[in-house]
Amino acid sequence: MQSTIEQTEGGVKLRDASTKEGAKTHTEPTGEPLSLELKKTLTAEMCDQFFYTSRNYHNDKAESEKLGFNDVVVGGRMTLSCISELLTRHFGRGFYLGGHVDVKFVNVLWLNEPFTTRGVITGRTQENGHTRAQVAVTCEKADGTKLIVGTASALEDV
C-alpha cells in the first residue's frame, strides 16, 4: 500500500485521495444510520488543550512547518475521540461495557476544517444473551474526503 504523504524537496505533498488503493474499492455502507451524527471543527485552542504537555506538529504551526506541512495537522487521537463520542451518545453503557473499534486513518485534517462523524448499523448478532450491533464508522470532510474509516460494535440492550 502506498503512503498518503510524499516527502518532496519543498516540503510534504499529499497524494490525491482518489488515487489511493482504498478509494477504488470503498463502498458506502448500507443499513440503519445511528440516531445522530457529529459535526465538528477543531481549533488551535482545542489542539493546545489536547496536546498540552508538548509543542509538536499537532498544536504548533512552526513545528509543523519544520516537517514540511503548511499548517498544523490535527492529531488522529482527536478525530478518533469523535468516533468514541458518537458511539457513546448512541449506545451509552452498551459501548462502555462491550464496545470495540477498528479504524484506519486515511487522510489529514487541518485546523479549522469542518468534518462530520457518522455511523451506520450494518448488522446485529446475538452474544451471551445480548444484541451486538455492528457499525460502519467514518469521519469525513465537507467535500466528502474520508479522514477515518472503520468498523465498531456495541451492545444494544444493556
Side-chain angles (χ1 to χ4, degrees):
M1 184 177 213
Q2 293 179 333
S3 172
T4 303
I5 301 173
E6 279 179 41
Q7 187 69 40
T8 65
E9 185 141 336
V12 173
K13 177 184 175 190
L14 299 176
R15 279 192 307 120
D16 179 355
S18 66
T19 66
K20 294 179 189 175
E21 182 179 307
K24 297 173 185 162
T25 60
H26 177 74
T27 57
E28 290 298 319
T30 58
E32 175 188 337
L34 295 186
S35 59
L36 72 155
E37 56 183 42
L38 303 178
K39 294 185 180 295
K40 298 202 180 242
T41 302
L42 302 178
T43 66
E45 293 78 18
M46 294 165 123
C47 290
D48 278 341
Q49 288 179 346
F50 198 88
F51 292 99
Y52 70 93
T53 58
S54 66
R55 303 307 294 168
N56 59 62
Y57 73 109
H58 294 311
N59 65 355
D60 187 312
K61 187 170 181 171
E63 291 297 318
S64 187
E65 288 172 343
K66 286 179 187 176
L67 296 174
F69 294 105
N70 292 329
D71 205 345
V72 170
V73 176
V74 173
R77 291 182 291 167
M78 292 183 75
T79 50
L80 178 60
S81 69
C82 295
I83 300 267
S84 295
E85 179 182 351
L86 176 76
L87 296 168
T88 299
R89 286 185 180 206
H90 182 85
F91 293 104
R93 287 175 36 94
F95 182 62
Y96 284 132
L97 297 176
H100 301 280
V101 177
D102 182 17
V103 299
K104 293 186 186 299
F105 297 91
V106 295
N107 218 308
V108 175
L109 180 67
W110 306 107
L111 283 182
N112 302 309
E113 193 170 30
F115 69 100
T116 303
T117 305
R118 294 184 180 90
V120 175
I121 297 173
T122 58
R124 289 180 169 89
T125 56
Q126 293 301 306
E127 180 181 297
N128 298 325
H130 296 286
T131 301
R132 177 173 295 283
Q134 286 78 37
V135 183
V137 291
T138 61
C139 289
E140 68 181 49
K141 299 180 186 190
D143 68 0
T145 301
K146 302 285 193 254
L147 303 170
I148 297 177
V149 295
T151 58
S153 69
L155 302 174
E156 289 189 297
D157 53 357
V158 294

